[in-house]
């Protein structure tokens, strides 16, 4: 059984906080009210914050995020955190590693002119903006998209977290979160790797499903590599089939509905910027071609 694992929670930046005799940190001023006038998202496997940033551009508030890589966590806190962000640690050793990381990296970061550790929280993209004149209509700086910092951030292993712990920190109930988002590790599924069915990272998609069930958002978004389509579990069950079964058995949605949704996404193609625009400054008139590969039925034969 997965149990709540947060052993320590501290503010992202220590300036503006007082330490009580017991060691408890309290704010010198009343913290700003939580932002609840936007749809709320919670992100797992947050990395450096690209997924969260996209949701902020779209008008969402990513109220909580989880990441265990220290470099990625520091980047996220710099760009999408703030002084009021509460940072949780699931393990005393992880807290010690974070402190050592900040010490070891300090000289290199200072030399590069980068913010250091907690002191840099909220000093990146989230603090950007400001225009001499009217901003462009499509401006995506933080003030123009009305972005606010992440409220709660976990530097932790998702396998040791529960949805109840995250909801409790946010002051929300089961079913109130609008979306759970995330990209579970793809290395075990990618064609660029060994595609080992025993890769322990492959099982993290099922912890993602567990957290979706425990939070019960209105919807969820999962990003992964195409190789997940034809990957199986150690028992030989297609990973996506098993993923849908976990969600269906947990009451999130009917298995057939999840199956049809995944089938509709098979073969979908995303288009990145047009390199011709970058080189010439003019948009190419050439229309993107259709995918060369046939669409895949995730639970059956390839579709022609």
């Amino acid at each position: 059984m997965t149990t709540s694992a947060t052993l320590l929670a501290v503010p992202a930046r220590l300036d503006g906080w007082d330490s009580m005799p017991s060691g408890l940190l309290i704010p010198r001023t009343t913290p700003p009210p939580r932002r609840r006038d936007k749809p709320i998202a919670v992100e797992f496997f947050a990395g450096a914050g690209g997924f969260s940033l996209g949701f902020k551009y779209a008008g969402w508030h990513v109220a909580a995020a989880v990441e265990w890589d220290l470099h990625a966590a520091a980047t996220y806190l710099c760009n999408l955190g703030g002084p009021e962000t509460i940072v949780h640690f699931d393990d005393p050793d992880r807290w010690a590693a974070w402190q050592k990381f900040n010490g070891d990296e300090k000289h290199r970061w200072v030399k590069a002119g980068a913010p250091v550790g907690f002191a840099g929280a909220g000093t990146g993209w989230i603090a950007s903006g400001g225009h001499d004149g009217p901003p462009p209509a499509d401006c995506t700086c933080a003030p123009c998209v009305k972005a606010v910092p992440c409220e709660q951030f976990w530097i932790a292993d998702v396998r040791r977290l529960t949805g109840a712990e995250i909801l409790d920190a946010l002051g929300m109930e089961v079913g109130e979160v609008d979306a759970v988002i995330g990209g579970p590790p793809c290395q075990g599924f990618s064609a660029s790797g060994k595609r080992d069915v025993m890769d322990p990272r492959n099982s993290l998609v099922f912890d993602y499903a567990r957290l979706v069930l425990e939070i019960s958002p209105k919807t969820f978004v999962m990003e992964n590599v195409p190789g997940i389509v034809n990957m199986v579990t150690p028992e030989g069950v297609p990973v996506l089939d098993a993923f849908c079964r976990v969600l269906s058995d947990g009451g999130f949605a009917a298995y057939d509905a999840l199956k049809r949704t995944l089938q509709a996404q098979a073969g979908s193609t995303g288009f990145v910027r047009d390199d011709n625009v970058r080189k010439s400054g003019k948009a190419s008139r050439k229309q993107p071609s259709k995918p060369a590969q046939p669409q895949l039925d995730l639970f059956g034969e390839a579709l022609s």
Side-chain angles (χ1 to χ4, degrees):
M1 177 183 294
T2 303
T3 57
S4 179
T6 293
L7 300 179
L8 177 68
V10 296
R13 272 171 44 191
L14 301 180
D15 53 311
W17 293 73
D18 290 322
S19 178
M20 303 299 288
S22 64
L24 177 69
L25 291 166
I26 62 172
R28 290 178 191 158
T29 58
T30 303
R34 290 170 174 163
R35 189 65 172 263
R36 290 292 187 261
D37 59 348
K38 294 185 173 190
I40 302 297
V42 172
E43 180 174 13
F44 296 98
F45 314 103
F51 215 153
S52 288
L53 183 62
F55 264 70
K56 287 181 181 294
Y57 284 165
W60 288 63
H61 171 39
V62 183
V66 182
E67 173 55 45
W68 80 335
D69 180 85
L70 301 183
H71 286 86
T75 303
Y76 192 106
L77 287 170
C78 173
N79 287 308
L80 301 175
E84 66 271 32
T85 303
I86 299 300
V87 183
H88 306 258
F89 294 85
D90 65 335
D91 190 316
D93 291 339
R94 209 179 308 281
W95 164 243
W98 174 253
Q99 291 179 301
K100 183 177 185 298
F101 165 81
N102 284 301
D104 291 347
E105 295 289 309
K106 184 173 183 178
H107 176 71
R108 184 158 64 96
W109 288 2
V110 169
K111 187 176 180 180
V116 182
F118 283 147
T123 60
W125 175 82
I126 200 77
S128 68
H131 304 277
D132 294 333
D138 58 349
C139 182
T140 54
C141 72
C144 286
V145 299
K146 297 180 173 59
V148 292
C150 177
E151 298 172 20
Q152 307 284 336
F153 190 88
W154 277 261
I155 300 180
D157 184 340
V158 297
R159 292 171 294 188
R160 303 184 64 185
L161 295 179
T162 66
E165 179 179 2
I166 292 165
L167 291 172
D168 183 63
L170 291 174
M172 301 182 75
E173 301 292 334
V174 172
E176 288 187 342
V177 169
D178 295 290
V180 165
I181 63 177
C186 64
Q187 293 92 333
F189 305 128
S190 175
S192 299
K194 297 180 180 179
R195 291 179 58 78
D196 181 4
V197 296
M198 300 304 294
D199 190 321
R201 292 171 295 190
N202 294 0
S203 66
L204 291 172
V205 297
F206 301 111
D207 275 286
Y208 184 66
R210 171 182 61 80
L211 288 160
V212 168
L213 292 175
E214 290 174 356
I215 294 173
S216 190
K218 295 178 177 64
T219 190
F220 77 91
V221 181
M222 184 176 77
E223 180 273 337
N224 218 286
V225 295
I228 195 174
V229 170
N230 51 20
M231 196 67 180
V232 298
T233 67
E235 296 76 26
V237 179
V239 168
L240 289 180
D241 200 343
F243 179 80
C244 286
R245 180 57 63 192
V246 170
L247 291 173
S248 177
D249 289 349
F252 185 81
Y255 174 82
D256 287 342
L258 289 165
K259 177 177 173 178
R260 286 195 302 272
T261 300
L262 288 174
Q263 286 176 323
Q265 296 303 313
S268 295
T269 303
F271 296 98
V272 192
R273 67 173 183 267
D274 187 341
D275 282 342
N276 291 324
V277 175
R278 193 159 53 90
K279 293 175 183 177
S280 67
K282 297 181 180 180
S284 170
R285 294 186 178 182
K286 182 179 179 181
Q287 297 297 317
S289 58
K290 293 182 179 180
Q293 298 297 322
Q295 287 191 325
L296 295 175
D297 177 343
L298 302 186
F299 299 87
E301 302 297 328
L303 300 173
S304 58

